[in-house]
């Protein structure tokens, strides 16, 4: 595959950017596209079903499930905004993307990522209140409070990424137009700008990571330290198991979301020498796996959702 690199000395952004798939595996892209299409379809259907159940079943109109419904919407938008460029590579060997579409996709990826991070913090807080202050749960997490938390999460993710994404179209690009992944990332495009011209984006991007993802992870860790202390104070082993079991699905969602994100950020920020195939594989895992697995995990681990599905589809209730 020949790649034409556009070398530019002007301040004009390239008309198109060149995306990269899994280098060296071009001959089997047709086979690779099958699991990717399945994962994408599963993500849309799974999150759609979760959203449908929560909307129609008034018994699920509780803070935890309202946060989960917003998480499902975020995952659907995440899949819809990023999968077209990935699937076009594996299905049609189409690697080019218009610069404006690239910036728009980048904005959705980063804003939805911060929104999802905020929602995971909100869900950790929900678990903390439910376990540590069960008698005050309904008075602390009222519907207006939940609505405000969701709105703050959305606006936080949206507004914080307008300046850096907008500024990228005014940078001079001297290092070509070839990106490192099958979708557009802010830190990936920054590397193509001329040296010394993207100081604002570097500093702003670092500040965003510290003030959002880093703070969110610290808050989640603190929440679970308090939760573990409260669980250990319970004398019954069975009660301890039941209490902590309510957190398993959230912990799985946290791990699937943060581990690939942090790993990719470290690779890009510190220019680590890692196999491009491994980096692209990790990037696609970050893109596709959490939206697919989140509804599966919550459907398995949440008894209320299982019961709601059974009632809707007239299935025999699962005792566990």
């Amino acid at each position: 595959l020949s790649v034409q690199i556009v070398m530019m000395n002007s301040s004009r952004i390239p008309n198109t950017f060149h995306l990269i798939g899994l280098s060296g595996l071009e001959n089997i892209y047709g086979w690779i596209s099958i699991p990717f299409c399945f994962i994408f379809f599963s993500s849309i259907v799974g999150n759609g079903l979760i959203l449908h159940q929560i909307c129609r079943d008034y018994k699920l109109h509780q803070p935890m499930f309202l946060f989960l419904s917003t998480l499902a919407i975020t995952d659907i938008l995440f899949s819809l905004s990023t999968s077209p460029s990935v699937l076009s590579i594996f299905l049609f060997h189409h690697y080019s993307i218009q610069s404006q579409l690239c910036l728009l996709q980048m904005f959705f990826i980063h804003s939805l990522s911060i929104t999802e991070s905020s929602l995971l913090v909100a869900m950790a807080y929900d678990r903390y209140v439910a376990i540590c202050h069960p008698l005050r749960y309904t008075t602390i997490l009222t519907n207006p409070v939940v609505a405000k938390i969701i709105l703050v999460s959305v606006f936080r993710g949206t507004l914080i990424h307008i300046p850096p994404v907008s500024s990228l179209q005014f940078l001079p690009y001297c290092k070509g137009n070839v990106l490192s992944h099958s979708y557009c990332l802010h830190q990936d495009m920054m590397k193509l700008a001329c040296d010394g011209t993207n100081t604002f984006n570097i500093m702003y991007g670092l500040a965003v990571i510290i003030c959002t993802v880093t703070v969110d992870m610290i808050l989640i860790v603190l929440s679970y330290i308090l939760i573990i202390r409260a669980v250990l104070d319970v004398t019954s082993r069975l009660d301890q198991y039941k209490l902590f079991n309510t957190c398993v699905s959230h912990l799985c969602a946290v791990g699937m979301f943060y581990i690939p994100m942090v790993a990719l950020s470290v690779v890009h920020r510190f220019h680590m020498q890692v196999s491009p195939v491994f980096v692209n594989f990790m990037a696609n895992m970050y893109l596709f796996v959490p939206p697919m697995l989140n509804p599966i995990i919550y459907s398995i681990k949440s008894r209320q959702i299982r019961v709601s599905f059974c009632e809707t589809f007239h299935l025999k209730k699962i005792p566990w």
Side-chain angles (χ1 to χ4, degrees), residues 24-54:
L25 302 177
E26 289 82 3
N27 292 332
I28 59 172
Y29 272 4
W31 293 104
I32 294 175
S33 66
I34 296 175
F36 274 99
C37 289
F38 173 78
I39 293 172
F40 171 67
F41 178 76
S42 301
S43 301
I44 300 299
V45 173
N47 285 290
L49 285 174
I50 289 286
L51 187 60
H52 173 263
Q53 288 303 120
I54 294 174

Side-chain angles (χ1 to χ4, degrees), residues 91-199:
L91 288 173
F92 309 111
H93 294 263
H94 184 74
Y95 298 91
S96 297
I97 183 171
Q98 294 293 323
S99 59
Q100 297 303 316
L101 288 178
C102 189
L103 291 172
L104 184 62
Q105 183 187 61
M106 179 194 308
F107 173 76
F108 275 109
I109 289 175
H110 290 291
S111 61
L112 291 171
S113 295
I114 298 302
T115 300
E116 185 157 341
S117 179
S118 303
L119 290 171
L120 291 175
V121 175
M123 296 169 83
Y125 178 66
D126 171 87
R127 292 298 83 207
Y128 161 74
V129 176
I131 293 174
C132 298
H133 304 284
L135 299 179
R136 299 173 55 199
Y137 181 78
T138 55
T139 58
I140 293 176
L141 285 174
T142 61
N143 286 339
V145 170
V146 172
K148 289 176 183 177
I149 292 174
I150 292 173
L151 287 175
V152 168
S153 299
V154 173
F155 281 113
R156 180 196 188 208
T158 303
L159 298 178
I160 203 169
H161 280 104
I162 292 177
V165 173
S166 300
S167 66
L168 285 176
Q169 60 185 324
F170 303 111
L171 292 178
Y173 291 85
C174 306
K175 301 178 183 178
N177 69 335
V178 181
L179 301 175
S180 304
H181 301 296
S182 48
Y183 51 91
C184 301
L185 290 177
H186 179 264
Q187 56 267 38
D188 196 16
M189 190 181 292
M190 281 197 309
K191 295 190 296 185
L192 301 179
C194 300
D195 293 333
T197 61
N198 58 355
T199 304

Side-chain angles (χ1 to χ4, degrees), residues 233-265:
D233 287 338
V234 178
T235 55
S236 171
R237 293 283 184 180
L238 181 60
D239 290 339
Q240 288 181 352
Y241 170 78
K242 288 180 178 179
L243 286 173
F244 197 73
N245 192 49
T246 62
C247 303
V248 171
S249 53
H250 178 257
L251 284 172
C252 291
V254 168
M256 289 187 302
F257 178 78
Y258 283 111
I259 292 174
M261 172 191 278
V262 172
L264 280 175
S265 181

Side-chain angles (χ1 to χ4, degrees), residues 24 48 56 148 178 209 217 320:
R56 70 173 294 277
K148 289 176 183 177
V178 181
I209 292 294
M217 287 192 292
W320 47 273

